[in-house]
Amino acid sequence: MKTTNILLAGVGGQGVLLASRILSEAALAAGLDIKQSEVHGMSQRGGSVMSHVRIGEEVHSPIVPEGECDILAGFEPLEGLRQAHAVKEGGVLLYSVDRINPSTVSAGFAQYPEDVEEQLKSFKCRTVAVPAVQYAEQVGNRRSANVVMVGVMSNFLEFSDDIWSQALTAAIPAKLLALNIAAFELGRKHI
Amino acid sequence: MDCLPVDTVRQPTRNHIETIEKILCKRLHAIGPISGERSACISARMRRLKANRLGAGIPVPKMEVHLKKLISGNEAFARGAYEAGVTVASGYPGTPSTEIMEALVHYKDEVYCEWSPNEKVALEVGAGASLAGARALVTMKHVGLNVAADPLMTLSYIGVEGGFVVCVADDPGQHSSQNEQDTRHYARLAKIPIFEPADSQEAIDFMKLAFDVSEKYRTPVIMRSTTRVSHSSSMVEFGKRAMLRNVAFVKNPPRYVPIPIWGRKMRVEVEQRLTDLAEAACVSKANRIEYRDRSLGIVTCGIAYQYTREVFPEASILKIGWGYPFPDRLIREFAAGVDKVLIVEELDDIMEEHIRAMGIACEGKSVVSPIGELSPDRLRETRARMEGREIPVAEPLAEAADLPGRPPVLCPGCPHRGVFYGLTKHDVVVTGDIGCYSLGVFPPLSRQDVILCMGGGVTLAHGMDKAGEGRKVVGMVGDSTFFHSGITGLLNVAYNKSAATIIVVDNRTTAMTGHQDHPGTGRTLMGEATIEASIEEIGRACGIKRVVTVDPYDLGATEKALAAEIESDEPSLVVSRAPCPLQTRTMVGPLHEIDQEACVNCGRCLKLGCPAIESDGDTVKINSLLCAGCGMCFEVCKVGAVEVKEGGAA
């Protein structure tokens, strides 16, 4: 079995790390080896956040090699675009359509690339736009947009429904579980 | 296929089942990562086992197919220390080490845990516990060991009683650090062993090994982590907690008091110990040779091992987990067993230098740069260079051009903003410090001119003042940083009659590392209520006459106080106090918005550098998702265009 390489890129506070946790729990439930890596520190202060998840029979490095990413999930279009070069030809590039201005843009020092979605679609991989916040609002909590993204990603990973429900149960506190399962399902049905 | 004779178990008893579960656990561990097929086989067996158990009327315990757990390196260090029987743990927060103590405090019924005011204190607390007989863990980031280096150097001489491990996390690539120093130098400097795990399971195993080595050889031990080990998760298996040691200090001055007459003897013993340790490192399970193709042999350690396996899957490897003293015999054996030797180490060429000095020809820094974090991508470049191929340029499908950066910023509602904004009114030099307020260096605030180290904001200001800097010098320090190492500097400011103004930006927590308590918060790491050390009273006790406290959200009062203190020729202390809204998780005040009719687009509010205030050049808006309601924009607006948002009351 080949190692599956996943990258999750977003902004501090979007729940990128929880999404990674769900993916890891799914792999764990499936009896696979996992390495998950993230860099935090200053990320809570509105900076970019990135997490690497590698799943396979035997995984050594916790970092996804350049150009070998099978699935990239951009939790924000610009952050997706920033990492898009890592996706391999024929890989999958998902992105949440909801923009969050970097401070450099809000302060008027830089321009948010208006054509961000066109740029994302120019890569030689399958591109999927996800109205993640809209779905999350449908289930009643904007903050579940991260779980919507995991739901979309689930279509590209060969885990059963049972494995996913085990993973969600393991990663999400009980009182928020029902809502997040609904968010996951909306994402899963997006494709 | 691994198959167990579960089918033969017809009528299982409780003991039976437990034995089989144990075998299964062992097997699972032995076979390592499990394929889908194996997993299905095991899963089927577990189901049958459970069915049998149900049939026999025995309650099924909570036992899942996946017997391994997925935990981060930092959680694993904490678990390893717990299993090793640690009863005292101390540390000072610092990325990427912070979560070790935060994980260990979950065992607070069995392990005493504390945040000490700084790393030197933490290390001495651990040393005291060890000398009394307990096993002790001390945690910090790489630069923290500089602060704690003094006690470490002499603890090496007097030795330890209960096992003593200082777990130090390096930050190659400077993800959130001011430098990239390599902690391995300290092992050589202090003449003590160092361990370097490559994943979470090794973090647990090496921690236990380190405590055994520490006790057996009566030496402090360094456990070196790096960002990628600390902040990566991988699978582990938990073990049992070791028997605890008796605590009773045994008086023995010749052993514990390094006055010269005894210290000189200790010095000799340290060298003998080093010889014994080198021999032990050669036979330790932490160091192993993996022979594959013998044309290339790679010596590697820590996380670099993982990258090496990925990029040189066919190469033979000497995996160093116990890095100092060097396992010379093992190195010679390996070098003799392969045609060519390559050293892959992150940061400095410590192993390479030693191996060359042994007379062994090898490649290292000529093909692996000592600067920055290693990665599989960088090792691929190494491989290409060695094989004389063109260095592969990562082949992006298209180049994402000139994207606006997303640097960390002072949060919306951050109280530090009030002080920085006040300082923009003065032509002063600001000597800064390590913490969230480092972010005040960025425009439009631009009010941090130099940052050196924890506590350095206070002392640099004094030095500049004494040098005769023409402008007023303002030293800035945070609350946790003030208690860490700002107090002695402040004492010096008073004692040696500085004209510097010292500002403590007190947000009631150690914010940058994720909100840890400190001596000023009134709470300990174990969650107990305690004293709240007063910064003002400490200032007065140091001899500072001018001490003033301001509410940084009141921009007018803050500006006035800053102006008065900057004018003064006496040493003065300004305490800016308001809790970090990220920690309190509450709005500072009501949401604000901008009345577009009234706004004249003067840009005054944009000078606050608040991420919630957005401008497209023509109009200025407040992002209601980001606004924390601090009202500073309301205060600076001269035309009254900023108002409380309708229905936006806090």
Side-chain angles (χ1 to χ4, degrees):
Chain A
M1 183 195 167
K2 213 194 125 293
T3 299
T4 303
N5 294 316
I6 307 169
L7 281 176
L8 300 91
V11 181
Q14 280 195 306
V16 168
L17 302 184
L18 176 70
S20 314
R21 186 84 207 174
I22 299 170
L23 295 173
S24 302
E25 289 290 346
L28 190 64
L32 294 169
D33 192 20
I34 310 144
K35 287 270 165 75
Q36 186 263 327
S37 177
E38 66 219 23
V39 171
H40 37 99
M42 292 179 124
S43 55
Q44 233 188 343
R45 316 290 175 264
S48 303
V49 181
M50 184 141 89
S51 170
H52 303 242
V53 181
R54 308 191 72 213
I55 300 170
E57 202 157 331
E58 189 183 12
V59 183
H60 294 294
S61 160
I63 305 177
V64 172
E66 187 82 10
E68 287 183 25
C69 173
D70 298 286
I71 307 168
L72 165 66
F75 284 53
E76 197 279 341
L78 179 59
E79 294 313 308
L81 185 56
R82 214 187 290 286
Q83 303 304 333
H85 59 88
V87 185
K88 69 176 188 193
E89 210 165 315
V92 183
L93 197 174
L94 320 172
Y95 65 94
S96 164
V97 297
D98 311 285
R99 295 183 185 188
I100 300 173
N101 278 341
S103 60
T104 45
V105 169
S106 352
F109 296 132
Q111 293 278 320
Y112 195 105
E114 274 313 313
D115 61 343
V116 65
E117 295 203 37
E118 285 73 43
Q119 285 198 51
L120 280 164
K121 284 170 187 155
S122 73
F123 287 84
K124 282 186 221 149
C125 54
R126 180 168 174 190
T127 316
V128 182
V130 185
V133 171
Q134 191 191 318
Y135 281 143
E137 278 171 346
Q138 274 179 41
V139 303
N141 189 348
R142 287 178 68 94
R143 296 176 60 95
S144 297
N146 57 342
V147 181
V148 172
M149 293 299 285
V150 178
V152 183
M153 292 166 89
S154 74
N155 291 297
F156 303 99
L157 292 161
E158 288 170 13
F159 297 136
S160 65
D161 287 347
D162 181 47
I163 295 273
W164 285 115
S165 80
Q166 279 184 47
L168 290 165
T169 312
I172 295 168
K175 62 175 183 179
L176 295 170
L177 188 57
L179 183 143
N180 280 294
I181 288 177
F184 177 86
E185 287 304 326
L186 282 178
R188 196 161 167 78
K189 286 181 195 133
H190 178 68
I191 297 175
Chain B
M1 187 68 62
D2 288 84
C3 286
L4 297 170
V6 181
D7 292 347
T8 60
V9 183
R10 297 290 174 213
Q11 288 177 315
T13 64
R14 181 182 289 272
N15 280 346
H16 238 118
I17 289 184
E18 276 170 9
T19 311
I20 293 166
E21 282 175 348
K22 269 184 204 151
I23 296 170
L24 260 174
C25 290
K26 266 194 185 158
R27 277 288 173 94
L28 273 176
H29 185 51
I31 61 180
I34 322 159
S35 70
E37 208 179 13
R38 276 171 177 171
S39 154
C41 163
I42 294 162
S43 145
R45 288 187 179 285
M46 291 302 291
R47 269 200 303 276
R48 264 176 284 170
L49 192 65
K50 284 182 183 175
N52 280 343
R53 183 187 295 249
L54 285 170
I58 301 165
V60 180
K62 274 188 100 173
M63 174 104 187
E64 298 302 328
V65 181
H66 43 97
L67 304 155
K68 294 192 166 189
K69 294 175 198 297
L70 182 71
I71 64 172
S72 71
N74 279 349
E75 290 167 321
F77 286 121
R79 177 68 199 184
Y82 170 78
E83 289 182 10
V86 161
T87 53
V88 174
S90 49
Y92 184 78
T95 313
S97 73
T98 314
E99 301 83 4
I100 305 171
M101 289 300 293
E102 292 183 327
L104 194 53
V105 78
H106 288 127
Y107 302 107
K108 67 179 177 184
D109 291 343
E110 295 170 82
V111 184
Y112 167 80
C113 297
E114 74 169 40
W115 286 130
S116 307
N118 68 32
E119 294 87 353
K120 176 179 185 288
V121 174
L123 195 134
E124 290 158 353
V125 168
S130 159
L131 293 178
R135 282 193 163 188
L137 175 75
V138 182
T139 73
M140 60 195 63
K141 70 183 295 178
H142 58 329
V143 285
L145 192 55
N146 302 332
V147 179
D150 186 10
L152 182 67
M153 293 303 137
T154 306
L155 185 61
S156 168
Y157 276 40
I158 67 176
V160 305
E161 197 57 41
F164 176 97
V165 175
V166 53
C167 188
V168 185
D170 287 7
D171 190 14
Q174 295 174 254
H175 294 287
S176 37
S177 303
Q178 61 271 40
N179 77 22
E180 202 179 50
Q181 67 186 52
D182 189 328
T183 290
R184 293 179 299 163
H185 290 290
Y186 273 108
R188 191 153 60 172
L189 184 57
K191 299 176 184 289
I192 58 176
I194 188 166
F195 287 86
E196 295 178 72
D199 60 24
S200 297
Q201 184 65 59
E202 283 192 351
I204 294 181
D205 297 343
F206 286 9
M207 191 60 101
K208 295 196 274 191
L209 186 59
F211 276 101
D212 290 343
V213 167
S214 170
E215 250 160 46
K216 183 169 177 193
Y217 298 91
R218 298 192 152 181
T219 176
V221 174
I222 298 176
M223 179 69 59
R224 182 207 188 202
S225 184
T226 55
T227 302
R228 287 292 165 189
V229 173
S230 282
H231 288 172
S232 291
S233 296
S234 59
M235 294 208 272
V236 300
E237 229 172 303
F238 282 5
K240 287 208 176 84
R241 181 154 158 92
M243 293 279 287
L244 302 186
R245 293 171 50 90
N246 273 343
V247 172
F249 178 69
V250 181
K251 288 193 182 199
N252 186 355
R255 197 181 148 207
Y256 299 130
V257 183
I259 51 174
I261 185 173
W262 291 323
R264 289 185 201 113
K265 285 185 182 153
M266 294 176 190
R267 172 78 185 85
V268 176
E269 284 163 16
V270 165
E271 289 306 319
Q272 180 55 46
R273 184 182 70 195
L274 217 44
T275 310
D276 298 344
L277 285 165
E279 185 47 39
C282 286
V283 295
S284 169
K285 61 182 179 186
N287 294 329
R288 66 166 188 262
I289 294 177
E290 299 171 4
Y291 282 123
R292 281 176 279 271
D293 178 3
R294 305 238 182 169
S295 60
L296 176 65
I298 301 177
V299 185
T300 185
C301 59
I303 193 72
Y305 166 79
Q306 308 289 8
Y307 306 149
T308 304
R309 286 301 311 278
E310 194 98 13
V311 178
F312 296 90
E314 78 295 346
S316 294
I317 290 180
L318 168 56
K319 181 187 182 302
I320 302 288
W322 178 344
Y324 190 83
F326 300 100
D328 287 356
R329 199 155 41 77
L330 206 59
I331 294 169
R332 284 192 200 286
E333 181 193 327
F334 182 67
V338 296
D339 299 343
K340 195 169 142 190
V341 178
L342 167 69
I343 319 292
V344 177
E345 53 192 324
E346 205 164 41
L347 301 184
D348 295 340
D349 52 350
I350 294 174
M351 292 198 302
E352 182 186 350
E353 221 178 76
H354 179 77
I355 290 170
R356 278 186 194 281
M358 288 170 73
I360 296 169
C362 59
E363 282 202 86
K365 289 312 168 204
S366 53
V367 285
V368 186
S369 164
I371 301 167
E373 191 179 28
L374 284 185
S375 66
D377 297 328
R378 290 187 59 192
L379 278 194
R380 278 184 191 164
E381 289 172 21
T382 299
R383 184 163 190 155
R385 215 168 278 146
M386 288 174 71
E387 292 169 357
R389 286 185 285 118
E390 210 173 301
I391 294 170
V393 183
E395 220 174 307
L397 294 167
E399 195 63 62
D402 280 348
L403 300 178
R406 198 183 291 274
V409 282
L410 282 182
C411 304
C414 176
H416 300 335
R417 182 170 285 109
V419 173
F420 283 123
Y421 184 76
L423 286 174
T424 59
K425 310 284 181 194
H426 301 275
D427 181 23
V428 290
V429 177
V430 184
T431 55
D433 220 299
I434 311 285
C436 289
Y437 41 93
S438 307
L439 299 171
V441 70
F442 296 118
L445 296 167
S446 307
R447 275 300 178 273
Q448 293 270 282
D449 297 315
V450 53
I451 292 175
L452 181 62
C453 60
M454 300 275 288
V458 180
T459 36
L460 286 175
H462 176 67
M464 278 199 191
D465 178 62
K466 289 298 176 192
E469 165 57 40
R471 281 160 294 182
K472 178 77 177 193
V473 188
V474 176
M476 195 180 260
V477 62
D479 44 341
S480 188
T481 319
F482 177 77
F483 295 117
H484 178 281
S485 49
I487 299 173
T488 39
L490 189 67
L491 186 62
N492 193 44
V493 162
Y495 172 55
N496 283 313
K497 305 182 190 177
S498 194
T501 297
I502 305 303
I503 304 175
V504 181
V505 281
D506 177 9
N507 61 356
R508 317 296 299 147
T509 186
T510 318
M512 192 52 124
T513 44
H515 302 115
Q516 288 75 30
D517 282 301
H518 61 61
T521 64
R523 207 172 42 247
T524 69
L525 173 59
M526 313 251 286
E528 291 161 0
T530 184
I531 57 117
E532 272 183 55
S534 160
I535 295 166
E536 290 88 338
E537 279 177 40
I538 290 173
R540 286 187 199 101
C542 285
I544 305 283
K545 300 266 181 341
R546 299 180 67 98
V547 178
V548 51
T549 307
V550 296
D551 169 6
Y553 291 120
D554 185 341
L555 289 183
T558 302
E559 275 175 41
K560 213 170 133 196
L562 287 176
E565 298 315 308
I566 286 169
E567 278 302 302
S568 158
D569 288 334
E570 277 180 77
S572 69
L573 175 67
V574 178
V575 181
S576 157
R577 178 169 296 127
C580 170
L582 263 197
Q583 188 187 27
T584 58
R585 292 179 174 275
T586 50
M587 294 285 290
V588 182
L591 284 178
H592 285 69
E593 65 182 354
I594 292 174
D595 177 353
Q596 295 301 334
E597 301 278 296
C599 177
V600 295
N601 198 16
C602 67
R604 198 177 289 271
C605 58
L606 291 172
K607 289 187 178 153
L608 286 166
C610 175
I613 306 175
E614 301 182 342
S615 165
D616 60 5
D618 300 326
T619 53
V620 183
K621 286 180 186 154
I622 295 175
N623 184 331
S624 63
L625 290 175
L626 295 177
C627 177
C630 72
M632 286 187 200
C633 49
F634 171 83
E635 291 177 75
V636 300
C637 183
K638 289 277 200 250
V639 295
V642 180
E643 49 196 32
V644 170
K645 190 177 163 78
E646 216 171 300

